[in-house]
Every structure is written in structure tokens, then in C-alpha cells.
Amino acid sequence: MTDDRGVSNGTETPDLTAVADHQARIAALLTTTPVESRPVAECLGLALAEDVVSPIPLPPFDNSAMDGYALRSVDVAEAAEDQPVELPVSEDVPAGRIDVPPLQPGTAHRIMTGAQMPSGADAVVPVERTDGGTERVRVRASAQPGAHVRRAGEDVTTGATVIPAGATLTPARLGLASAVGIETLRVRRPVRVLVLSTGSELVAPGSPLRPGQIYESNGLMLATAVRAAGGEARLLRFVPDDVQAFHTALAPHLDSTDLVLTSGGVSAGAYEVVKDALRGNGIEFTKVAMQPGMPQGAGRYRGGPTVVTLPGNPVSAMVSFEVFVRPALRGASGHDDVRRPVRRAVLTEPLTAPRGKRQYRRGLFDPSTESVTLQGGPGSHLLSALADANCLLEIPEDTTEVPAGSTVDVMLLD
């Protein structure tokens, strides 16, 4: 892996690029994905492209909220524990019965939760307030009109927008779509991402390490981050440090890829294969005013898919993904919520930061006290601290010292 020195080389700009400018560049490179229809069961995590309008009310009919007895409230107005009212039970109404007879005055229907209310009944008495009779029932409590009755349209009315376009489809939203009878949804196709893992020093986890080798982790980390953000990821591992091998590995995937995501090989070393392969092929390299993650690159590979090159140190790669790639990926996929939530938190210990660079530090946010504690130092190789963190502290470029007790912005992670 390479370091984060970001020394100017080739097409790099001589000055530092602002974080916001590089964010805008990557967002502009990723175009919005097309709309497609998918079965509701296959839409988890996708962005809805068109409003879901309910064709029915929800509930679709008046139904019982309890196991008990459907009756007229006037018939049990005098009922009490020491003075029960006895009524004949004329029908059983289980959930799903569609031929529910009307209720006659002075009678009760035994009814189950979710079953359709009979016409003529205006209340349900829970079975716990009766003797549970099947032919005649002794009711030991009165009931107000509407008691334990779910009214048709109480949750959703016909023609109501139940899920707006741009919403991320969660399990609850998919359940709602099914509840109003929707079988397929119009969604944005996920961004198709090829995560390219380069480096002759990389080996697969589980293999024995030889001197000078390390286990490949960035590819897996970034591919799973893509999937967590709502994209489709393919991981192409163990591309050697060879320019021709890089192009050869990339070629079969160009027509089926929206974004190529690389990590490493973009700094100032002698074997920066990613930079060597992409220079002159539409990719511009720059140094961004941030720590970690200064060396960056972006463009369109030979006029085709977007390429974003991230630094090789694992923390630099992951922070860069969060700052630049994730919001662009979610925006291109049609999501409304493209950015992580940001909270204000009280810093529990002092920190220092380099002037002229926006620093991202790993932290542990405590929502009960609205405070944040640093996790590990600023080193871009300290992956264990990132694994323990649930937020990133964002320290502005013009800030060099932040005393304990100061309020800072924290970007909440999953």
C-alpha cells in the first residue's frame, strides 16, 4: 500500500483541492441510473423512483382489534363485574371470513383479531371481560361505541401517497407497499461498482503470509461499503502491479460498470500502478485538503465508466469513501438521504489538527450525553480504531486546536 503524502506528480494540480470541490466533481461524474420495475421483495435498500399511491384504504374494512365479542354498545351499557349481561352468541367470525352475517339487536358475534366487523355492531368487548361462552356469553364490562374497532381507512386512505419518490425502501416500507396491494415498484437501478484491488504484495486471507506480503482487506471493505450504501459491488482482487495487467483486468467489465473504485497506487512511489495506468486515460489526480486521504483521482476511463481512485491506507480509503463516494453513489441511485446524519457533540478530550486541511478523526458518539470520545490517533493505518468508531469528527481547515469541552460536528456512521 502507499502512503498519503500526495506529492505532485504528472497531472496533479500544484495546489490543494477543497473537499467540497472534489465532492462536486465526483457527484457530477456519476449520472443518475435508469428506472426499472422490480418485485417488491427484491427492492430492499433501493430508492423509489415514483410515488406509491394506495389503491385501497388501510385497513380495507372495519375489523376487530381484539379477540372477543362484537356487539351493540347499548346492549351492554349496564354490564359490570358484579352485574354481567348475558347475550346469545349467534355467529363465529374468524379472520378471513367473507360472508359475515349482520348482527341482530340483543345478540353477540364471537370475533377474532383482524376479522371483519358485522354490520349492526359498533363495539368489541375483549374475551378477558367475559366468560368466553360459545353459545351464550356473560359480558362483565360495558363498551363505548367504537371500542376495539379498527375503522376502514384509519391508517391509509384511498389515493394517499404512502411512500414518496426518493425514499429508501426499508423492510417497513416494503411491508406497507404489500399491505396496500402493490406487487412491483418503480425503482432506480443501483449503481454498478467494480472494486479493483491492486498490489503484488496482497494475498487472500487464510493463506500463509510470506515476508513482504499482507492480507488484502481494502477490496472487501470497500465492496461491502458499496453494498451497504445501496450499490451493487463486484470485487476484482489481486491485480498485480503491472500497467498492462491493470488494463487487461479492467477491459471485460467496462460495459457493465458505472463506477470503478480503486484503492492505492495513487501516491508518489516508484510502483504507483493505478496512476501509471490511468494517467492520460481521462483520470485527473489531485491532492485534497484533508487528512487522512490527501491523494485522490477521478474521471472517466477512456470516455466510459467513472473511475474514482482512493488512497491505499485503509483508514484513508474508508474515510475517502464516506466523504466522496457514498454521497455521490446514493445521489446517482435516486436516494433523497445522500449524506450521513451530522450531530453536534461535546469533545471529551483535546485534539490538534493540521492547518489548511480538513481533518477526519474517528470517534465514539454517546447519544445519552451528546458527547464524543476519540478512537485512536490520526494515523491512516490504524484500522482497529475505525472498526470501533461509530462516527467521524470533522475538524475545519482553519482549526489547529480543539480543547476538551468544545462542541464539534460528528458524522454518524452505521
Side-chain angles (χ1 to χ4, degrees):
M1 292 185 179
T2 59
D3 63 24
D4 291 340
R5 291 173 292 169
V7 177
S8 180
N9 186 10
T11 59
E12 291 179 351
T13 57
D15 300 318
L16 296 182
T17 300
V19 169
D21 290 343
H22 197 60
Q23 286 174 326
R25 172 169 171 71
I26 293 176
L29 285 168
L30 274 178
T31 57
T32 305
T33 58
V35 175
E36 59 187 21
S37 294
R38 290 195 180 192
V40 170
E42 298 177 10
C43 292
L44 180 64
L46 302 184
L48 188 65
E50 298 174 1
D51 291 346
V52 173
V53 177
S54 179
I56 62 168
L58 196 65
F61 49 83
D62 291 354
N63 68 87
S64 176
M66 301 285 286
D67 292 338
Y69 295 84
L71 41 70
R72 299 194 315 158
S73 57
V74 67
D75 288 339
V76 292
E78 304 299 324
E81 284 289 340
D82 59 353
Q83 189 177 333
V85 171
E86 186 171 310
L87 299 172
V89 178
S90 53
E91 293 286 343
D92 266 353
V93 187
R97 182 173 178 179
I98 60 175
D99 59 338
V100 180
L103 179 79
Q104 299 301 316
T107 68
H109 285 3
R110 191 168 68 152
I111 195 167
M112 304 303 145
T113 302
Q116 182 175 308
M117 286 289 291
S119 61
D122 68 350
V124 172
V125 174
V127 66
E128 293 84 357
R129 305 306 302 275
T130 73
D131 67 352
T134 57
E135 295 184 0
R136 300 187 67 83
V137 63
R138 292 168 63 86
V139 180
R140 299 191 300 266
S142 62
Q144 295 297 315
H148 305 299
V149 176
R150 302 165 176 157
R151 295 298 182 189
E154 182 179 294
D155 187 13
V156 173
T157 58
T158 301
T161 297
V162 292
I163 314 175
T168 300
L169 292 167
T170 61
R173 284 171 171 157
L174 296 177
L176 176 57
S178 292
V180 299
I182 303 298
E183 184 179 9
T184 62
L185 293 170
R186 297 285 284 168
V187 296
R188 289 284 176 187
R189 175 178 60 71
V191 175
R192 301 168 304 188
V193 184
L194 178 67
V195 179
L196 202 60
S197 175
T198 64
S200 298
E201 77 278 17
L202 303 177
V203 296
S207 303
L209 283 179
R210 300 175 64 183
Q213 293 182 329
I214 59 173
Y215 289 124
E216 198 285 318
S217 59
N218 278 9
L220 175 66
M221 180 174 66
L222 292 172
T224 52
V226 166
R227 295 183 188 117
E232 290 181 355
R234 288 169 295 158
L235 176 55
L236 186 58
R237 276 175 151 176
F238 312 121
V239 178
D241 285 329
D242 178 82
V243 169
Q244 187 55 51
F246 182 95
H247 291 296
T248 300
L250 194 55
H253 304 280
L254 296 179
D255 292 337
S256 59
T257 298
D258 302 310
L259 170 64
V260 177
L261 192 59
T262 71
S263 63
V266 295
S267 199
Y271 297 98
E272 304 297 347
V273 64
V274 173
K275 181 177 288 185
D276 292 341
L278 297 178
R279 183 189 289 113
N281 285 290
I283 314 306
E284 296 180 6
F285 297 96
T286 188
K287 296 180 293 181
V288 177
M290 65 185 290
Q291 186 190 57
M294 188 164 60
Q296 302 282 342
R300 290 192 181 278
Y301 179 75
R302 297 176 177 175
T306 297
V307 173
V308 175
T309 69
L310 306 179
N313 275 318
V315 176
S316 300
M318 198 61 202
V319 169
S320 298
F321 178 89
E322 288 290 340
V323 174
F324 301 120
V325 181
R326 187 181 186 276
L329 186 153
R330 289 186 66 79
S333 300
H335 294 273
D336 280 342
D337 55 337
V338 300
R339 298 195 181 278
R340 296 281 197 184
V342 175
R343 296 282 296 272
R344 298 285 284 169
V346 177
L347 185 63
T348 62
E349 57 191 289
L351 66 79
T352 59
R355 183 176 298 278
K357 295 180 183 178
R358 186 176 303 183
Q359 188 175 70
Y360 293 90
R361 293 287 298 272
R362 290 135 283 177
L364 191 62
F365 174 69
D366 184 348
S368 65
T369 60
E370 295 189 337
S371 63
V372 62
T373 302
L374 295 175
Q375 294 293 106
S380 57
H381 63 294
L382 302 174
L383 185 57
S384 62
L386 180 62
D388 291 336
N390 64 4
C391 70
L392 293 175
L393 289 74
E394 190 172 29
I395 310 302
E397 291 85 344
D398 59 353
T399 299
T400 57
E401 295 184 5
V402 184
S406 301
T407 302
V408 295
D409 286 334
V410 296
M411 180 196 306
L412 301 184
L413 306 175
D414 290 335

